[in-house]
Amino acid sequence: MPLINVYLRQGTTPEYRRNVSAALHKAMVDVLKIPEDDQFHVFHEVTPDNFHMQPIVFGLPRSERTMFIQLSFNQRTAEQKNELFRAIVDNLRLFADVPEEDVMIAVFETARENWWAAGRVVNPETGYDARMTDVPATS
């Protein structure tokens, strides 16, 4: 049950936010193998005076369209996260015309037992949604 928060400057269109959401969800389904109906995206449009960043971050110019994406989900391998980052950037370019330089991502991993939702069926052996067949090995 991943949760995604997207922070961007105020003034985007509903269509743009739907395209960003579709790009994020496709990456999560393709890479993390989450169920298609497991989509929770919250958009936070921030006024320009509340969205402060340098015009050049880590040596790259960033535009007014720069977005910060927070991903919250159970622990995944570094390889899975790197694959997910690449899929998100590629999908955002394809679905919403967002250049790579305007995407910043952070993952917040939580223990499996810290998630609850009515109707969710958890496999007791893995701690993941029972519909997920490709989950990390338990440690």
Side-chain angles (χ1 to χ4, degrees):
M1 189 175 97
L3 171 64
I4 298 177
N5 285 285
V6 180
Y7 297 86
L8 36 80
R9 281 192 175 87
Q10 192 173 45
T12 64
T13 65
E15 178 185 14
Y16 177 78
R17 292 189 301 276
R18 279 191 301 274
N19 290 341
V20 168
S21 183
L24 294 168
H25 190 59
K26 180 167 178 30
M28 299 292 282
V29 170
D30 290 350
V31 176
L32 299 186
K33 310 301 183 200
I34 67 168
E36 283 284 345
D37 67 347
D38 196 357
Q39 182 176 5
F40 298 94
H41 302 172
V42 180
F43 285 82
H44 307 271
E45 284 201 318
V46 182
T47 60
D49 60 326
N50 286 316
F51 198 112
H52 297 269
M53 60 177 253
Q54 296 297 318
I56 297 177
V57 180
F58 303 129
L60 295 174
R62 312 296 170 152
S63 81
E64 295 288 314
R65 291 182 59 196
T66 294
M67 63 179 69
F68 180 65
I69 302 167
Q70 288 181 327
L71 307 169
S72 298
F73 50 73
N74 299 344
Q75 187 173 4
R76 299 301 200 284
T77 66
E79 293 79 16
Q80 284 178 306
K81 288 181 276 193
N82 283 330
E83 184 181 349
L84 179 63
F85 297 154
R86 177 55 36 209
I88 287 172
V89 167
D90 291 346
N91 288 350
L92 284 171
R93 185 181 308 108
L94 180 66
F95 286 56
D97 196 30
V98 179
E100 183 172 316
E101 305 75 49
D102 287 348
V103 179
M104 303 181 98
I105 306 170
V107 170
F108 295 91
E109 292 179 312
T110 60
R112 294 183 303 263
E113 65 269 14
N114 290 339
W115 295 91
W116 180 90
R120 183 170 175 243
V121 178
V122 176
N123 178 330
E125 292 180 21
T126 65
Y128 288 86
D129 188 298
R131 297 171 295 163
M132 295 175 66
T133 58
D134 186 17
V135 296
T138 57
S139 49

